[in-house]
Amino acid sequence: MTIEKQPESRQSRLLPQLAKFGAVGAVGVLVNLAVFNALLLTPMSASHWGALIATVIANAVAIATNYVGNRYWAFAKERRANVAREGVEFLIVSICGLVIPVLCVYVSRFVLGFDSRLSDNIANNVVGLALGTVFRFAFYRWWVFSPHRGDRTTAARATTESVLTSASLPAATLPGAPDGGLVRD
């Protein structure tokens, strides 16, 4: 008698996955903060659009860092065999997520009139980060790394496929059955 282990439900994976996403995001925040503030120390900060350009560059570097962490750790069980498609979808969601802190910096600078380094950091790394994080997690989970999409390479599926292909169990036939009675255990 074998005991079959039920597959993990998406709900039971939510908290650990959210924690991993948060850890990857924390690394991305540190990368973003470092790059953003390093760029604000250059002559770029004197430019009228310098904070917006620094926001785009810092977020782009953080996106690249986060892709690696999310693909190989946070959403490792849901990653796809088609890396190019997954990468493009990740990039689309990340670029849409990048618009959020850019809009926050734009509103802070050009609508509200705040132009200090502190206000740029609050707009980008507090408000923009919070809103962008919620957006990105939702779309990474439900679109980019969704296990309900067709070409997933989950660990369970890969294990099952390798066992089935390596076992090559012979099929027994029942001669009187209309379909040949193919039976496979």
Side-chain angles (χ1 to χ4, degrees):
M1 177 177 179
T2 61
I3 298 174
E4 291 185 31
K5 183 180 175 186
Q6 294 295 326
E8 266 186 303
S9 72
R10 291 194 74 199
Q11 293 297 336
S12 67
R13 289 192 325 254
L14 179 62
L15 287 177
Q17 192 174 56
L18 189 56
K20 289 178 179 180
F21 177 79
V24 169
V27 171
V29 167
L30 294 176
V31 168
N32 189 329
L33 279 168
V35 172
F36 181 75
N37 284 296
L39 291 171
L40 289 182
L41 294 174
T42 68
M44 179 184 290
S45 66
S47 166
H48 185 67
W49 296 96
L52 288 173
I53 294 167
T55 300
V56 170
I57 293 170
N59 276 278
V61 174
I63 286 168
T65 304
N66 287 350
Y67 177 71
V68 173
N70 281 312
R71 175 169 170 69
Y72 294 103
W73 189 48
F75 296 99
K77 291 182 180 179
E78 289 86 11
R79 69 180 182 223
R80 289 205 186 129
N82 187 343
V83 180
R85 181 174 174 182
E86 181 183 81
V88 168
E89 290 174 354
F90 187 91
L91 187 62
I92 290 168
V93 171
S94 295
I95 289 171
C96 292
L98 169 66
V99 170
I100 295 169
V102 170
L103 285 174
C104 291
V105 172
Y106 180 85
V107 168
S108 174
R109 280 195 158 247
F110 300 108
V111 175
L112 301 176
F114 299 122
D115 61 356
S116 70
R117 189 172 294 146
L118 177 62
S119 62
D120 290 340
N121 269 288
I122 291 171
N124 181 22
N125 297 311
V126 177
V127 179
L129 175 69
L131 296 174
T133 297
V134 171
F135 173 84
R136 282 188 292 271
F137 180 76
F139 278 90
Y140 293 160
R141 181 169 168 81
W142 294 312
W143 184 48
V144 178
F145 298 109
S146 172
H148 300 295
R149 306 275 306 270
D151 59 342
R152 294 286 168 217
T153 57
T154 62
R157 180 201 241 164
T159 303
T160 303
E161 289 172 357
S162 67
V163 167
L164 289 177
T165 56
S166 66
S168 299
L169 298 173
T173 60
L174 297 174
D179 63 351
L182 293 176
V183 179
R184 188 174 202 145
D185 287 337

